[in-house]
mmCIF file of all heavy atoms in Angstrom:
data_model
loop_
_atom_site.group_PDB
_atom_site.id
_atom_site.type_symbol
_atom_site.label_atom_id
_atom_site.label_comp_id
_atom_site.label_asym_id
_atom_site.label_seq_id
_atom_site.Cartn_x
_atom_site.Cartn_y
_atom_site.Cartn_z
ATOM 1 N N LEU U 9 40.681 196.551 202.918
ATOM 2 C CA LEU U 9 41.479 197.513 202.155
ATOM 3 C C LEU U 9 41.214 197.350 200.662
ATOM 4 O O LEU U 9 41.074 198.344 199.929
ATOM 5 C CB LEU U 9 42.965 197.320 202.451
ATOM 6 C CG LEU U 9 43.918 198.248 201.678
ATOM 7 C CD1 LEU U 9 43.675 199.704 202.055
ATOM 8 C CD2 LEU U 9 45.373 197.858 201.934
ATOM 9 N N GLU U 10 41.140 196.112 200.204
ATOM 10 C CA GLU U 10 40.879 195.870 198.783
ATOM 11 C C GLU U 10 39.543 196.463 198.358
ATOM 12 O O GLU U 10 39.428 197.074 197.283
ATOM 13 C CB GLU U 10 40.902 194.372 198.494
ATOM 14 C CG GLU U 10 42.288 193.758 198.568
ATOM 15 C CD GLU U 10 42.291 192.263 198.303
ATOM 16 O OE1 GLU U 10 41.386 191.564 198.809
ATOM 17 O OE2 GLU U 10 43.173 191.798 197.586
ATOM 18 N N LEU U 11 38.519 196.292 199.191
ATOM 19 C CA LEU U 11 37.204 196.834 198.871
ATOM 20 C C LEU U 11 37.233 198.357 198.837
ATOM 21 O O LEU U 11 36.622 198.978 197.958
ATOM 22 C CB LEU U 11 36.165 196.334 199.885
ATOM 23 C CG LEU U 11 35.766 194.864 199.767
ATOM 24 C CD1 LEU U 11 34.907 194.450 200.963
ATOM 25 C CD2 LEU U 11 34.995 194.621 198.466
ATOM 26 N N TRP U 12 37.939 198.972 199.807
ATOM 27 C CA TRP U 12 38.015 200.439 199.823
ATOM 28 C C TRP U 12 38.703 200.938 198.557
ATOM 29 O O TRP U 12 38.252 201.905 197.930
ATOM 30 C CB TRP U 12 38.774 200.927 201.054
ATOM 31 C CG TRP U 12 38.775 202.423 201.158
ATOM 32 C CD1 TRP U 12 37.873 203.213 201.799
ATOM 33 C CD2 TRP U 12 39.711 203.327 200.541
ATOM 34 N NE1 TRP U 12 38.179 204.542 201.622
ATOM 35 C CE2 TRP U 12 39.289 204.645 200.860
ATOM 36 C CE3 TRP U 12 40.850 203.144 199.749
ATOM 37 C CZ2 TRP U 12 39.981 205.765 200.416
ATOM 38 C CZ3 TRP U 12 41.529 204.272 199.297
ATOM 39 C CH2 TRP U 12 41.100 205.554 199.650
ATOM 40 N N MET U 13 39.787 200.288 198.160
ATOM 41 C CA MET U 13 40.516 200.712 196.960
ATOM 42 C C MET U 13 39.645 200.568 195.715
ATOM 43 O O MET U 13 39.621 201.452 194.859
ATOM 44 C CB MET U 13 41.806 199.903 196.814
ATOM 45 C CG MET U 13 42.862 200.240 197.856
ATOM 46 S SD MET U 13 44.319 199.146 197.780
ATOM 47 C CE MET U 13 44.939 199.525 196.132
ATOM 48 N N ALA U 14 38.912 199.464 195.621
ATOM 49 C CA ALA U 14 38.039 199.269 194.464
ATOM 50 C C ALA U 14 36.929 200.306 194.448
ATOM 51 O O ALA U 14 36.569 200.848 193.390
ATOM 52 C CB ALA U 14 37.454 197.856 194.489
ATOM 53 N N GLU U 15 36.368 200.607 195.634
ATOM 54 C CA GLU U 15 35.276 201.566 195.737
ATOM 55 C C GLU U 15 35.703 202.965 195.308
ATOM 56 O O GLU U 15 34.918 203.727 194.739
ATOM 57 C CB GLU U 15 34.770 201.592 197.180
ATOM 58 C CG GLU U 15 33.476 202.322 197.390
ATOM 59 C CD GLU U 15 32.265 201.502 196.972
ATOM 60 O OE1 GLU U 15 32.159 200.342 197.384
ATOM 61 O OE2 GLU U 15 31.445 202.031 196.209
ATOM 62 N N HIS U 16 36.992 203.290 195.564
ATOM 63 C CA HIS U 16 37.469 204.646 195.306
ATOM 64 C C HIS U 16 38.396 204.726 194.089
ATOM 65 O O HIS U 16 39.017 205.755 193.851
ATOM 66 C CB HIS U 16 38.175 205.199 196.550
ATOM 67 C CG HIS U 16 37.246 205.386 197.706
ATOM 68 N ND1 HIS U 16 36.889 204.345 198.541
ATOM 69 C CD2 HIS U 16 36.545 206.465 198.129
ATOM 70 C CE1 HIS U 16 36.031 204.799 199.444
ATOM 71 N NE2 HIS U 16 35.808 206.072 199.214
ATOM 72 N N GLY U 17 38.472 203.648 193.306
ATOM 73 C CA GLY U 17 39.212 203.682 192.049
ATOM 74 C C GLY U 17 40.721 203.761 192.201
ATOM 75 O O GLY U 17 41.402 204.277 191.327
ATOM 76 N N HIS U 18 41.269 203.217 193.292
ATOM 77 C CA HIS U 18 42.716 203.284 193.523
ATOM 78 C C HIS U 18 43.389 201.996 193.064
ATOM 79 O O HIS U 18 42.943 200.897 193.386
ATOM 80 C CB HIS U 18 43.022 203.487 195.006
ATOM 81 C CG HIS U 18 43.171 204.923 195.406
ATOM 82 N ND1 HIS U 18 44.163 205.745 194.913
ATOM 83 C CD2 HIS U 18 42.459 205.691 196.260
ATOM 84 C CE1 HIS U 18 44.059 206.950 195.450
ATOM 85 N NE2 HIS U 18 43.017 206.946 196.265
ATOM 86 N N SER U 19 44.476 202.139 192.320
ATOM 87 C CA SER U 19 45.382 201.022 192.076
ATOM 88 C C SER U 19 46.406 200.989 193.217
ATOM 89 O O SER U 19 46.479 201.918 194.036
ATOM 90 C CB SER U 19 46.106 201.210 190.747
ATOM 91 O OG SER U 19 46.958 202.355 190.815
ATOM 92 N N SER U 20 47.238 199.938 193.245
ATOM 93 C CA SER U 20 48.278 199.879 194.278
ATOM 94 C C SER U 20 49.243 201.048 194.128
ATOM 95 O O SER U 20 49.664 201.663 195.123
ATOM 96 C CB SER U 20 49.030 198.546 194.188
ATOM 97 O OG SER U 20 48.181 197.466 194.512
ATOM 98 N N ASN U 21 49.572 201.389 192.889
ATOM 99 C CA ASN U 21 50.520 202.492 192.675
ATOM 100 C C ASN U 21 49.928 203.841 193.058
ATOM 101 O O ASN U 21 50.594 204.681 193.669
ATOM 102 C CB ASN U 21 50.964 202.519 191.204
ATOM 103 C CG ASN U 21 51.890 201.369 190.861
ATOM 104 O OD1 ASN U 21 52.601 200.868 191.715
ATOM 105 N ND2 ASN U 21 51.875 200.948 189.606
ATOM 106 N N SER U 22 48.651 204.081 192.702
ATOM 107 C CA SER U 22 48.064 205.390 193.013
ATOM 108 C C SER U 22 47.881 205.571 194.518
ATOM 109 O O SER U 22 48.061 206.672 195.044
ATOM 110 C CB SER U 22 46.733 205.571 192.286
ATOM 111 O OG SER U 22 45.733 204.705 192.807
ATOM 112 N N LEU U 23 47.531 204.499 195.224
ATOM 113 C CA LEU U 23 47.402 204.617 196.682
ATOM 114 C C LEU U 23 48.767 204.860 197.308
ATOM 115 O O LEU U 23 48.898 205.659 198.243
ATOM 116 C CB LEU U 23 46.744 203.370 197.271
ATOM 117 C CG LEU U 23 46.522 203.406 198.788
ATOM 118 C CD1 LEU U 23 45.652 204.600 199.191
ATOM 119 C CD2 LEU U 23 45.883 202.111 199.283
ATOM 120 N N ALA U 24 49.788 204.186 196.794
ATOM 121 C CA ALA U 24 51.145 204.417 197.313
ATOM 122 C C ALA U 24 51.545 205.877 197.128
ATOM 123 O O ALA U 24 52.101 206.503 198.042
ATOM 124 C CB ALA U 24 52.140 203.499 196.601
ATOM 125 N N ASP U 25 51.253 206.447 195.960
ATOM 126 C CA ASP U 25 51.590 207.857 195.715
ATOM 127 C C ASP U 25 50.846 208.780 196.676
ATOM 128 O O ASP U 25 51.417 209.746 197.202
ATOM 129 C CB ASP U 25 51.232 208.230 194.275
ATOM 130 C CG ASP U 25 52.155 207.570 193.257
ATOM 131 O OD1 ASP U 25 53.228 207.110 193.661
ATOM 132 O OD2 ASP U 25 51.765 207.503 192.069
ATOM 133 N N ALA U 26 49.549 208.485 196.905
ATOM 134 C CA ALA U 26 48.754 209.329 197.793
ATOM 135 C C ALA U 26 49.294 209.280 199.224
ATOM 136 O O ALA U 26 49.394 210.299 199.908
ATOM 137 C CB ALA U 26 47.290 208.907 197.749
ATOM 138 N N VAL U 27 49.638 208.079 199.703
ATOM 139 C CA VAL U 27 50.157 207.930 201.072
ATOM 140 C C VAL U 27 51.542 208.583 201.184
ATOM 141 O O VAL U 27 51.860 209.216 202.198
ATOM 142 C CB VAL U 27 50.190 206.446 201.485
ATOM 143 C CG1 VAL U 27 50.839 206.284 202.857
ATOM 144 C CG2 VAL U 27 48.780 205.870 201.521
ATOM 145 N N ASN U 28 52.359 208.448 200.142
ATOM 146 C CA ASN U 28 53.673 209.108 200.162
ATOM 147 C C ASN U 28 53.529 210.618 200.290
ATOM 148 O O ASN U 28 54.277 211.272 201.025
ATOM 149 C CB ASN U 28 54.445 208.769 198.887
ATOM 150 C CG ASN U 28 55.033 207.370 198.919
ATOM 151 O OD1 ASN U 28 55.248 206.802 199.975
ATOM 152 N ND2 ASN U 28 55.287 206.816 197.738
ATOM 153 N N GLY U 29 52.559 211.179 199.572
ATOM 154 C CA GLY U 29 52.321 212.617 199.677
ATOM 155 C C GLY U 29 51.886 213.019 201.071
ATOM 156 O O GLY U 29 52.325 214.043 201.608
ATOM 157 N N ALA U 30 51.004 212.200 201.681
ATOM 158 C CA ALA U 30 50.547 212.493 203.036
ATOM 159 C C ALA U 30 51.697 212.364 204.035
ATOM 160 O O ALA U 30 51.799 213.136 204.998
ATOM 161 C CB ALA U 30 49.394 211.560 203.410
ATOM 162 N N LEU U 31 52.578 211.390 203.806
ATOM 163 C CA LEU U 31 53.746 211.215 204.683
ATOM 164 C C LEU U 31 54.667 212.438 204.622
ATOM 165 O O LEU U 31 55.184 212.893 205.649
ATOM 166 C CB LEU U 31 54.527 209.964 204.268
ATOM 167 C CG LEU U 31 54.170 208.654 204.956
ATOM 168 C CD1 LEU U 31 54.834 207.491 204.251
ATOM 169 C CD2 LEU U 31 54.577 208.679 206.426
ATOM 170 N N GLU U 32 54.843 212.969 203.425
ATOM 171 C CA GLU U 32 55.706 214.139 203.288
ATOM 172 C C GLU U 32 55.125 215.341 204.026
ATOM 173 O O GLU U 32 55.858 216.110 204.651
ATOM 174 C CB GLU U 32 55.906 214.468 201.811
ATOM 175 C CG GLU U 32 56.905 215.589 201.577
ATOM 176 C CD GLU U 32 57.274 215.744 200.122
ATOM 177 O OE1 GLU U 32 56.625 215.103 199.274
ATOM 178 O OE2 GLU U 32 58.211 216.516 199.830
ATOM 179 N N ARG U 33 53.803 215.480 203.972
ATOM 180 C CA ARG U 33 53.185 216.590 204.705
ATOM 181 C C ARG U 33 53.296 216.393 206.214
ATOM 182 O O ARG U 33 53.390 217.362 206.962
ATOM 183 C CB ARG U 33 51.713 216.719 204.290
ATOM 184 C CG ARG U 33 51.519 217.234 202.874
ATOM 185 C CD ARG U 33 50.068 217.584 202.586
ATOM 186 N NE ARG U 33 49.205 216.407 202.596
ATOM 187 C CZ ARG U 33 49.021 215.608 201.548
ATOM 188 N NH1 ARG U 33 49.641 215.847 200.410
ATOM 189 N NH2 ARG U 33 48.204 214.573 201.631
ATOM 190 N N LEU U 34 53.271 215.139 206.663
ATOM 191 C CA LEU U 34 53.351 214.856 208.100
ATOM 192 C C LEU U 34 54.767 214.997 208.642
ATOM 193 O O LEU U 34 54.980 215.540 209.728
ATOM 194 C CB LEU U 34 52.851 213.434 208.377
ATOM 195 C CG LEU U 34 51.341 213.189 208.389
ATOM 196 C CD1 LEU U 34 51.056 211.699 208.445
ATOM 197 C CD2 LEU U 34 50.700 213.884 209.576
ATOM 198 N N THR U 35 55.742 214.482 207.882
ATOM 199 C CA THR U 35 57.100 214.354 208.413
ATOM 200 C C THR U 35 58.112 215.272 207.758
ATOM 201 O O THR U 35 59.231 215.425 208.266
ATOM 202 C CB THR U 35 57.588 212.901 208.237
ATOM 203 O OG1 THR U 35 57.708 212.611 206.829
ATOM 204 C CG2 THR U 35 56.608 211.923 208.861
ATOM 205 N N GLY U 36 57.745 215.870 206.613
ATOM 206 C CA GLY U 36 58.703 216.691 205.882
ATOM 207 C C GLY U 36 59.613 215.882 204.982
ATOM 208 O O GLY U 36 60.460 216.443 204.273
ATOM 209 N N ARG U 37 59.457 214.548 204.974
ATOM 210 C CA ARG U 37 60.264 213.673 204.112
ATOM 211 C C ARG U 37 59.329 212.849 203.240
ATOM 212 O O ARG U 37 58.298 212.360 203.710
ATOM 213 C CB ARG U 37 61.136 212.736 204.941
ATOM 214 C CG ARG U 37 62.157 213.466 205.814
ATOM 215 C CD ARG U 37 63.111 212.483 206.474
ATOM 216 N NE ARG U 37 62.403 211.528 207.317
ATOM 217 C CZ ARG U 37 62.056 211.741 208.586
ATOM 218 N NH1 ARG U 37 62.364 212.897 209.158
ATOM 219 N NH2 ARG U 37 61.423 210.824 209.275
ATOM 220 N N ALA U 38 59.702 212.684 201.991
ATOM 221 C CA ALA U 38 58.874 211.915 201.062
ATOM 222 C C ALA U 38 58.810 210.459 201.506
ATOM 223 O O ALA U 38 59.811 209.894 201.972
ATOM 224 C CB ALA U 38 59.436 212.012 199.651
ATOM 225 N N GLY U 39 57.646 209.846 201.366
ATOM 226 C CA GLY U 39 57.499 208.438 201.701
ATOM 227 C C GLY U 39 58.142 207.547 200.658
ATOM 228 O O GLY U 39 58.347 207.947 199.512
ATOM 229 N N GLY U 40 58.451 206.308 201.039
ATOM 230 C CA GLY U 40 59.121 205.373 200.128
ATOM 231 C C GLY U 40 58.247 204.212 199.700
ATOM 232 O O GLY U 40 58.764 203.167 199.275
ATOM 233 N N LEU U 41 56.934 204.361 199.789
ATOM 234 C CA LEU U 41 56.053 203.267 199.401
ATOM 235 C C LEU U 41 55.964 203.164 197.886
ATOM 236 O O LEU U 41 56.096 204.160 197.172
ATOM 237 C CB LEU U 41 54.648 203.495 199.962
ATOM 238 C CG LEU U 41 54.509 203.549 201.488
ATOM 239 C CD1 LEU U 41 53.089 203.922 201.861
ATOM 240 C CD2 LEU U 41 54.881 202.218 202.114
ATOM 241 N N ASP U 42 55.728 201.950 197.409
ATOM 242 C CA ASP U 42 55.437 201.745 195.996
ATOM 243 C C ASP U 42 54.309 200.727 195.874
ATOM 244 O O ASP U 42 53.727 200.315 196.887
ATOM 245 C CB ASP U 42 56.689 201.295 195.228
ATOM 246 C CG ASP U 42 57.313 200.030 195.812
ATOM 247 O OD1 ASP U 42 56.605 199.303 196.568
ATOM 248 O OD2 ASP U 42 58.482 199.762 195.523
ATOM 249 N N GLY U 43 54.008 200.332 194.658
ATOM 250 C CA GLY U 43 52.898 199.407 194.459
ATOM 251 C C GLY U 43 53.070 198.099 195.199
ATOM 252 O O GLY U 43 52.104 197.530 195.709
#
Side-chain angles (χ1 to χ4, degrees):
L9 178 63
E10 289 179 318
L11 288 171
W12 185 91
M13 290 174 63
E15 192 78 50
H16 294 82
H18 267 297
S19 65
S20 294
N21 288 332
S22 69
L23 182 58
D25 290 343
V27 175
N28 283 337
L31 268 169
E32 186 170 9
R33 290 190 294 275
L34 282 171
T35 66
R37 298 187 300 275
L41 298 174
D42 56 19

